[in-house]
C-alpha cells in the first residue's frame, strides 16, 4: 500500500502518523528532546517504522517562523534548539520522496477544511487559542498567504480592550489579541492559569475573543470559523456565548458566520500535514 507520512513538531511533543490519504494507519507520539539533531533522528526512525514501504511523500507541521519554500525550520519561539535546520534536505536525502513543511495553524485549517468539514465550505478560518493565538485561513479552498507567501498572523491584530493601559506583546507590538487572551497573556494579566480564572475574568476573556473574531469576520467574511486550542476547548461553554454576543454587537454589514469549536483531536496537525503531502502547496 502506498502511504503518506504526516509529522507534527510542537513545543513539547512530536507526532508521526502514516496514512493512506484518508485515515490514520499507524501513529507514534514521543517527547521532544533538547537536541534538534536527536529529534530529527527520532522522526526518521518513526517514519521508517510506520511506513512499510518508502512513503509517497512527507508533510510536516511546525510553528513559525520557518522558510516553508526551502523547507528550513528557522527560529520558532517554542523550539529553542531548532535554528536553521534544513529539514527538507535531510528528509528527502533519507527517504527519496517529496517533503513539504508549513505553519502548524495552516495545516490545522487544512485538516478542519478537508476532514472535519468535508470541504463543504470554500472560505474557512481556523483560530487556535492556547499558549499563543494563531490561525489559518482557507480562501476559495486553498491556504491563504500574504506578501512573499508569509503566514497571516491573526493573533497579532490590535484590538480595543477593557484594561486601563496598553498591553505589550512579545512580538514588539501593543494590544495584540495574543497578548490579551493567550495562555501566556492570561498568566501575565491575571497572574493565574486559564483554568483558574473566575467567572468575571473568563467573561472578560470572552469579550476580547469576540472582538478579535469580529475583526476577522469583517476582513475575510468567512463561511465558518472553527476554534481550537486547549483554552477554547476546556472553557468553551463560558467563552463561546460571550464571544458570539460580541460578534453580533460589532458585525452589522457582513453576514455573521457559524462559529464552532473543532471536534478534531491532537492528530489534526499531522493529518493536515498528510493533506499537504498529498496535494503540495498548490493543492
Amino acid at each position: 500500500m502506498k502511504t503518506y507520512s504526516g509529522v507534527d513538531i510542537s513545543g513539547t511533543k512530536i507526532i508521526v502518523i502514516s496514512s493512506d490519504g484518508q485515515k490514520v494507519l499507524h501513529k507514534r507520539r514521543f517527547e521532544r528532546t533538547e537536541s534538534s539533531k536527536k529529534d530529527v533522528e527520532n522522526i526518521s526512525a518513526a517514519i521508517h517504522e510506520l511506513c512499510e514501504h518508502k512513503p509517497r511523500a512527507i508533510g510536516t507541521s511546525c510553528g513559525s517562523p520557518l522558510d516553508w519554500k526551502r523547507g528550513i525550520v528557522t527560529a520558532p519561539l517554542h523550539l529553542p534548539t531548532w535554528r536553521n535546520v534544513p529539514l527538507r534536505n535531510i528528509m528527502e536525502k533519507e527517504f527519496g520522496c517529496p517533503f513539504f513543511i508549513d505553519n502548524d495553524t495552516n495545516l490545522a485549517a487544512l485538516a478542519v477544511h478537508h476532514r472535519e468539514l468535508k470541504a463543504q465550505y470554500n472560505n474557512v478560518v481556523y483560530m487556535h487559542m492556547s499558549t499563543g493565538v494563531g490561525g489559518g485561513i482557507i480562501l476559495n479552498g486553498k491556504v491563504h498567504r500574504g506578501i512573499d507567501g508569509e503566514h497571516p498572523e491573526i493573533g497579532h491584530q490590535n484590538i480595543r480592550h477593557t484594561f486601563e493601559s496598553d498591553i505589550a506583546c512579545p512580538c514588539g507590538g501593543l494590544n495584540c489579541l495574543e497578548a490579551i487572551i493567550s495562555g501566556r497573556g492570561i498568566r501575565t494579566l491575571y497572574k493565574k492559569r486559564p483554568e483558574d480564572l473566575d467567572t468575571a475574568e473568563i467573561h472578560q476573556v470572552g469579550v476580547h475573543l469576540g472582538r478579535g473574531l469580529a475583526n476577522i469576520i469583517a476582513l475575510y467574511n468567512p463561511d465558518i470559523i472553527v476554534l481550537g486550542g486547549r483554552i477554547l476547548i476546556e472553557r468553551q461553554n463560558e467563552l463561546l456565548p460571550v464571544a458570539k454576543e460580541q460578534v453580533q454587537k460589532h458585525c452589522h454589514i457582513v453576514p455573521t458566520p457559524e462559529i464552532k469549536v473543532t471536534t478534531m483531536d491532537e492528530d489534526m496537525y499531522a493529518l493536515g500535514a498528510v493533506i499537504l503531502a498529498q496535494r503540495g502547496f498548490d493543492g
Side-chain angles (χ1 to χ4, degrees), residues 25-41:
L25 301 174
H26 304 286
K27 172 183 174 179
R28 291 291 178 270
R29 184 186 193 277
F30 46 91
E31 299 301 307
R32 275 192 51 250
T33 72
E34 295 302 316
S35 163
S36 61
K37 183 176 185 294
K38 182 61 177 177
D39 287 340
V40 172
E41 290 173 354

Side-chain angles (χ1 to χ4, degrees), residues 269-283:
Y269 300 97
L271 284 167
V274 166
I275 296 168
L276 176 65
Q278 289 178 273
R279 298 168 175 264
F281 292 118
D282 296 324

Side-chain angles (χ1 to χ4, degrees), residues 90-268:
I90 295 170
M91 302 305 277
E92 288 188 348
K93 182 178 180 180
E94 174 79 15
F95 292 97
C97 68
F99 174 89
F100 304 91
I101 188 169
D102 203 353
N103 179 275
D104 52 1
T105 51
N106 280 349
L107 297 186
L110 270 182
V112 164
H113 175 62
H114 287 282
R115 297 291 181 261
E116 182 173 358
L117 302 178
K118 310 300 183 186
Q120 60 182 311
Y121 300 100
N122 284 327
N123 304 306
V124 177
V125 171
Y126 171 76
M127 180 173 156
H128 183 90
M129 181 179 165
S130 188
T131 304
V133 173
I137 301 166
I138 305 293
L139 294 182
N140 297 317
K142 295 185 178 182
V143 172
H144 171 63
R145 302 182 190 276
I147 296 174
D148 294 329
E150 290 300 314
H151 173 69
E153 294 287 353
I154 63 175
H156 294 279
Q157 57 174 292
N158 183 290
I159 71 160
R160 181 174 62 85
H161 59 73
T162 58
F163 295 97
E164 292 183 357
S165 57
D166 287 335
I167 298 168
C169 181
C171 76
L174 293 174
N175 306 320
C176 292
L177 184 64
E178 176 170 307
I180 298 168
I181 69 168
S182 70
R184 187 187 300 113
I186 286 170
R187 285 179 172 85
T188 299
L189 294 170
Y190 298 96
K191 310 303 180 187
K192 59 178 70 174
R193 302 176 302 171
E195 55 267 38
D196 296 329
L197 294 178
D198 63 29
T199 300
E201 291 164 340
I202 200 68
H203 182 277
Q204 188 177 34
V205 173
V207 167
H208 296 137
L209 168 63
R211 291 179 180 180
L213 292 176
N215 289 340
I216 292 169
I217 292 165
L219 290 170
Y220 294 104
N221 197 15
D223 299 311
I224 186 171
I225 295 178
V226 180
L227 305 174
R230 184 177 60 84
I231 297 173
L232 274 164
I233 291 171
E234 291 182 356
R235 305 206 66 169
Q236 59 181 291
N237 291 337
E238 299 156 284
L239 287 171
L240 271 188
V242 180
K244 289 180 178 179
E245 181 180 354
Q246 286 294 309
V247 167
Q248 293 290 342
K249 180 178 179 180
H250 294 288
C251 289
H252 299 288
I253 298 177
V254 297
T256 301
E258 179 184 355
I259 301 172
K260 67 183 290 284
V261 174
T262 183
T263 59
M264 299 189 76
D265 59 19
E266 68 172 4
D267 293 344
M268 67 189 306

